[in-house]
Each structure stands twice: as structure tokens, then as C-alpha cells.
Amino acid sequence: MPELMLDGHALTVADGTSVAAALALGGNGCSRTSVSGQRRAPLCGMGICQECRVTIDGRRRLACQTVCRDGMQVETQP
Amino acid sequence: MNEYADLLIIGAGPAGMAAALAAAPSGARIVMLDDNPFAGGQIWRDGPQASLPAQARQLRERLQSHANIRHHSGTRVIANPGPKQLLVEDDENGWLISYDKLILCTGARELLLPFPGWTLPGVTGAGGLQALIKSGLSVSDERVVIAGSGPLLLASAATATQHGASVLRIAEQASLTSVAGFAAQLPRWPAKWLQSFSLFNRHYRAGTHVLAAFGTDRLEGVRLQQQGKIVELECDRLACGFGLIPNIQLGQALGYAIEGQALAVDVWQASNRADHYAAGECTGFGGSELALAEGAIAGHSAVGEVEKARQWWPRRARWQGFANALNQAFTLDPQLKSLARPDTLVCRCEDIPYAALTEHSDWRAAKLASRCGMGACQGRVCGAAVEHLFGWQPSASRPPYSPARIETLMCLDDTPPA
Ligand SMILES: Cc1cc2nc3c(=O)[nH]c(=O)nc-3n(C[C@H](O)[C@H](O)[C@H](O)COP(=O)(O)OP(=O)(O)OC[C@H]3O[C@@H](n4cnc5c(N)ncnc54)[C@H](O)[C@@H]3O)c2cc1C
Ligand code: FES
């Protein structure tokens, strides 16, 4: 069971859980703020819409196509 | 790191897996890549809350048993720098793959149409919700409304129910006559018939579509047009998708001919470009059985096994019949073109409202003036939406086909001039 940090809070999830699912398990599910200030969350769940982009270990990644790993640092865009 | 493949397959869904397995006994050096963490494509998406059918597990085991098949998961195509060469990237590295033959098995994505409130957190695609649940999202005790069109609504509802959600409504835009007509034909395809039976749900309503989603910070409810009446339901999630559209961007960029909205192929699944094939839903929506048959034909054809390819033709024809019936039954109602209000965002990447697009005559003009389609998704969501709303043909995409790291793009500097 990997333990990751989501916006500074520790979170343990089941093996194979995507970061997109973890956003909802450990927070309000949102990933980013749009250019006009709306909060957004994963939409397509399959790597198309890019709504789920977050920073993982310093790199911009798609939460829906990234599997949670132990020690991962996930930061949503405020 | 550079790589060579006799046969390169893009997409590891049913079509890509079948293509690799068909071609493997020839001894060809096969590379299959897919942007998802696991093989299986849309239908056999794996995850902590997914239960893969035996067929999918067997295919995966068979793939692993062939030493000449390499599968790169979590890998996406960034550019096509030279003839028969692709630049790809995974979480760690970027590299070039040169190939002799290519099969595109890039599948399909959901058609997501703009309606008031569709940007609220809590609103997802219909298949999108299913995918998120399989990957570990909890929907236990949540109230879910599923809307849009096609059999995927039932599949998504089944997954949500199985994981503890209470599905309040399944709103299918097609008329009851169309849906009933389709259901009556199902006994022609017995396996599919059984599948749809186990999916049947008493909250299903034909002739019903979403009008708006509402809520302040996140979704609180939806308004539906239900068989002529307006109905409001409070809910925690709305999963809304209007059927599937083929992923043709990469094919288009590689010069494949397009027919309708899909990659055009002949009886061998070959495109207009020599040595370039396509199979599965990027050649038109048709379900997993059709994708498997087309994949096998493409795999055999690509390694020159004409007779073996031909043996799959009857199977393909049979499932093509199913696909035709499906596509006819779930044709979209023109009313859906009027869901967006002037202030409804059409492009979610750049936050461009519907009103900013109506004055333009084509996609190019609208893009240049408004930046619609120029954001991170590169028009894969809004491009399909404006094609539906205004009939605008999306233009071919340009590399990078997906956001790439600088280090990956630097691989291009090592390339001899083409
Ligand atoms: C969200 C969703 C859910 C579905 N659920 C069901 C279901 O429950 N039951 C059912 O019968 N049918 C379902 N379908 C229909 C399903 O698409 C087909 O039955 C079948 O999966 C088609 O197989 P395929 O191999 O053609 O494509 P897919 O299964 O779509 O596989 C294509 C693969 O290629 C990858 N890919 C695409 N472009 C690239 C690229 N440029 N670089 C790298 N990888 C790429 C994709 O991520 C995907 O993994 C679903 C479809 C969608 C979109
Ligand atoms: S949810 Fe659409 S790309 Fe991740």
C-alpha cells in the first residue's frame, strides 16, 4: 500500500490506485484552477482532456494516467 | 536510447493486443506502446477496482509469453521527426523508435459536449467515471446521474452501482423506438445480448438528455429534459458522454486518409500509405470483438500472412454488422446542438465561451481569433465538440502531439536530417 504526500498531507491508498482517484480520496478531488479561476477536476479519466494535470515529484503529469507510488509528492494547482 | 521495430503498434487495447499476437509467431521484432499504465485499452482497463474478464487476462499472459513482443506502458507519441520514425516519451525517458511497419490501434475517446455547468467538479465523462472508479475512485453512497448516449452508459452505471453508488437516472438521448429497435436485434449477437441483459437497469430513460448541471463550488444537481418534461435531480456526480469518436490525430499527422471521422483502411486493414495499417476503433466505433478481429487481420497482413488474415474476414463482417446497428440506433438528436448557452465554456483549456465562436465560419478562424483548441488538450475535447456543434472539420495536429519535456525534444537534435 503506497503512502504518498498530497498537498503536504500523507495519504495511503490501495496498490494500483491512480493519482486522479487519490485526489478525491485525500482531498476534494480537484486538480487545478482554470485560466478564469474555476476549480477543475478530472473529466475524461483517460488521458485526453488534460484537466487532471498536477505536479508529481516536480514534474507536470496527468493524474489519471499515473499510478500512486510510495513516497510520491503530489501537488495540485491552487 | 534508440529502438528499432519490424512492427510498431500504437495502442494496447483489444486491437493492438490482437495485432501483436497475430504477428508474433512470424518472429518479427514487435514493439507495442500505450499511454496507459497497463495493457487492455478502454474496455479492459485495469486498476485496484477493476475485475478483468478471463479473455483479457489470457491475452495479457499470451503477450508476455512472446519474447519478441516488447510492451512500453505509460508511453506517448510526441512527434514524427522522420520517415518511419516516432519520438516517444515515458515518465523517465524520451527516445526514437524506427519501424518498418506501423499499425495504429489508437482506439476511441468519448464525445464530450458542452452544456451549462459541465466544468463543475463532479461532472465527468460516462466512460470517464467508469475509468476513474476502476482506478480507485470511491463512489460509495454517492448519488450518480449518468447521461449521454450509447451502451457505455449502462456499462458505466453497472460499475458505479457495483461500487456502492446509487444511480438515480440513466438518461439516453436516443428515442425509445431506436433503443427498442436495437435491443430487438441483439439476439443476432448472442454474447452481446447476454452482456446487455446483465447491464439492464430500471432507472434507464430513453428520449432524455441533460440540460444543465448546477452547483456553487462543485456539482449539486442536474436538470434533464426527460421525454418532454423538465426534471431536476440532486446528485453528487454527473457522468455524461455522447458516444465514442475515433482517435485519428496521429494517423492524420502521418498522412493516413480519413473517411467520415475515422482512419480509412482496405480489407487488409492497410491505409493509403504503404506499410501503415490501422485497426480497432480508430477506424470506426464497433466494440471489442470487432477490434479483436481487425487487429488480428492487421497483424497478419503486416507480416505478409495473407491467408491467415483472410480467415478473420467472416468474424470481422459479423461484428461490423453489430457496429452498424449500434451506430444507427444511437445517432445524436440535433437538439443537443443547442445545449450550450452564450456563456457556456466550449474550450476548457483556454476558457473560451460559446459566444466567442459563433461569429466565425471555420475552425481555423475561430482558433486564431479566440485560442479555442490551442490549450493543453490540443483540441481533442473542444475540436470534437465544435465539429458536432458547427460542422467544422478539425485541422491536423502538429507536434508535439502531447505536452513533452525539453529533454525529450532534445533527442531530435541527434537525428540525421531526413
Ligand atoms: C471510456 C471508455 C469505456 C469503454 N468501456 C467499454 C465497456 O465497458 N464495454 C465495451 O464493450 N466497450 C467499452 N468501450 C468501447 C471500447 O472502446 C471497445 O470495445 C474496445 O476497447 C476498442 O478497442 P481498441 O483496441 O480499438 O481501442 P482502445 O481500447 O481504445 O485502445 C486504444 C489504446 O491506445 C492508447 N492510445 C491512443 N492513442 C495513443 C497514442 N498516441 N500514444 C499511446 N497510446 C495511445 C489508448 O490510451 C488506449 O489504451 C469503452 C470505450 C471507452 C472510450
Ligand atoms: S482526466 Fe482527462 S486527461 Fe486525465
Side-chain angles (χ1 to χ4, degrees):
Chain A
M1 300 250 291
E3 185 181 319
L4 58 150
M5 295 297 281
L6 171 60
D7 291 329
H9 299 283
L11 172 69
T12 305
V13 297
D15 280 328
T17 302
S18 71
V19 174
L23 295 178
L25 294 170
N28 64 4
C30 290
S31 43
R32 68 175 197 109
T33 303
S34 79
V35 294
S36 69
Q38 297 182 345
R39 292 297 281 158
R40 296 283 172 79
L43 170 73
C44 73
M46 49 181 284
I48 299 285
C49 71
Q50 316 278 313
E51 286 284 20
C52 67
R53 54 193 196 269
V54 292
T55 306
I56 300 176
D57 296 334
R59 280 178 170 172
R60 189 55 66 82
R61 300 256 296 270
L62 292 182
C64 72
Q65 288 189 318
T66 308
V67 174
C68 294
R69 301 256 177 256
D70 215 29
M72 213 175 223
Q73 302 277 339
V74 179
E75 279 146 55
T76 60
Q77 186 198 326
Chain B
M1 172 175 115
N2 284 348
E3 195 173 16
Y4 170 79
D6 296 317
L7 174 60
L8 176 61
I9 300 170
I10 311 294
M17 292 165 101
L21 288 172
S26 72
R29 200 186 151 112
I30 301 168
V31 172
M32 178 169 71
L33 65 86
D34 191 288
D35 52 8
N36 281 301
F38 311 102
Q42 300 302 348
I43 179 167
W44 298 322
R45 180 178 290 278
D46 205 353
Q49 302 198 113
S51 48
L52 287 189
Q55 187 188 19
R57 274 182 274 122
Q58 281 160 12
L59 286 173
R60 280 217 317 216
E61 280 160 24
R62 284 177 56 205
L63 283 172
Q64 279 157 9
S65 72
H66 287 282
N68 57 331
I69 303 178
R70 276 181 91 174
H71 173 211
H72 298 300
S73 58
T75 305
R76 51 194 84 240
V77 178
I78 305 299
N80 52 321
K84 295 197 173 180
Q85 190 182 53
L86 295 180
L87 175 67
V88 305
E89 177 185 277
D90 68 7
D91 286 350
E92 308 284 319
N93 299 299
W95 72 100
L96 289 163
I97 306 181
S98 304
Y99 59 85
D100 182 37
K101 304 276 167 70
L102 178 77
I103 308 179
L104 291 183
C105 300
T106 49
R109 65 187 185 279
E110 271 191 289
L111 176 61
L112 302 170
L113 294 178
F115 52 86
W118 77 305
T119 53
L120 283 170
V123 179
T124 59
L129 180 64
Q130 189 191 39
L132 289 165
I133 294 173
K134 287 182 180 177
S135 85
L137 180 75
S138 165
V139 289
S140 172
D141 299 326
E142 290 188 345
R143 298 158 303 169
V144 177
V145 171
I146 295 180
S149 196
L152 192 48
L153 304 187
L154 288 163
S156 181
T159 305
T161 308
Q162 199 187 337
H163 289 92
S166 140
V167 174
L168 306 181
R169 188 75 81 247
I170 305 169
E172 165 59 59
Q173 60 84 37
S175 69
L176 187 57
T177 327
S178 306
V179 176
F182 173 69
Q185 292 187 52
L186 282 172
R188 287 165 61 195
W189 299 279
K192 278 280 166 191
W193 186 70
L194 281 176
Q195 193 185 349
S196 62
F197 231 82
S198 63
L199 293 174
F200 209 78
N201 186 302
R202 68 193 164 91
H203 300 292
Y204 192 83
R205 298 285 184 285
T208 301
H209 65 81
V210 68
L211 288 173
F214 47 84
T216 347
D217 297 325
R218 64 170 288 123
L219 180 74
E220 289 163 22
V222 297
R223 191 172 304 125
L224 302 171
Q225 167 103 30
Q226 184 172 304
Q227 293 152 355
K229 290 195 306 274
I230 292 185
V231 178
E232 286 193 3
L233 295 170
E234 286 181 14
C235 60
D236 305 299
R237 288 188 190 276
L238 167 64
C240 186
F242 291 91
L244 300 182
I245 37 171
N247 287 325
I248 61 170
Q249 289 79 3
L250 184 55
Q252 226 177 349
L254 292 173
Y256 281 52
I258 311 293
E259 203 176 286
Q261 292 183 339
L263 299 180
V265 287
D266 66 11
V267 290
W268 307 107
Q269 300 293 138
S271 78
N272 56 311
R273 282 202 56 195
D275 301 332
H276 287 69
Y277 299 77
E281 293 197 327
C282 56
T283 68
F285 175 58
S288 58
E289 289 87 355
L290 184 62
L292 286 170
E294 291 182 355
I297 293 171
H300 285 304
S301 303
V303 296
E305 295 168 349
V306 177
E307 262 324 300
K308 285 192 179 146
R310 199 193 296 273
Q311 282 166 18
W312 282 86
W313 285 6
R315 192 110 58 112
R316 180 178 58 189
R318 170 175 154 80
W319 289 107
Q320 188 61 55
F322 173 74
N324 295 345
L326 194 74
N327 288 325
Q328 204 183 349
F330 296 100
T331 311
L332 294 186
D333 183 334
Q335 272 194 66
L336 299 170
K337 293 187 205 250
S338 51
L339 295 182
R341 304 276 116 211
D343 61 347
T344 305
L345 298 184
V346 174
C347 170
R348 305 171 58 120
C349 297
E350 299 286 326
D351 288 1
I352 315 293
Y354 183 79
L357 301 174
T358 44
E359 69 208 56
H360 301 289
S361 55
D362 62 28
W363 179 222
R364 213 182 106 78
K367 249 175 129 165
L368 288 177
S370 72
R371 289 195 51 79
C372 182
M374 293 172 73
C377 91
Q378 299 188 312
R380 282 188 288 179
V381 176
C382 64
V386 299
E387 188 169 5
H388 176 78
L389 294 174
F390 307 117
W392 295 343
Q393 283 294 320
S395 40
S397 27
R398 295 216 198 110
Y401 304 125
S402 83
R405 294 188 294 270
I406 301 291
E407 307 92 87
T408 301
L409 297 173
M410 298 215 316
C411 294
L412 295 178
D413 294 343
D414 306 334
T415 325

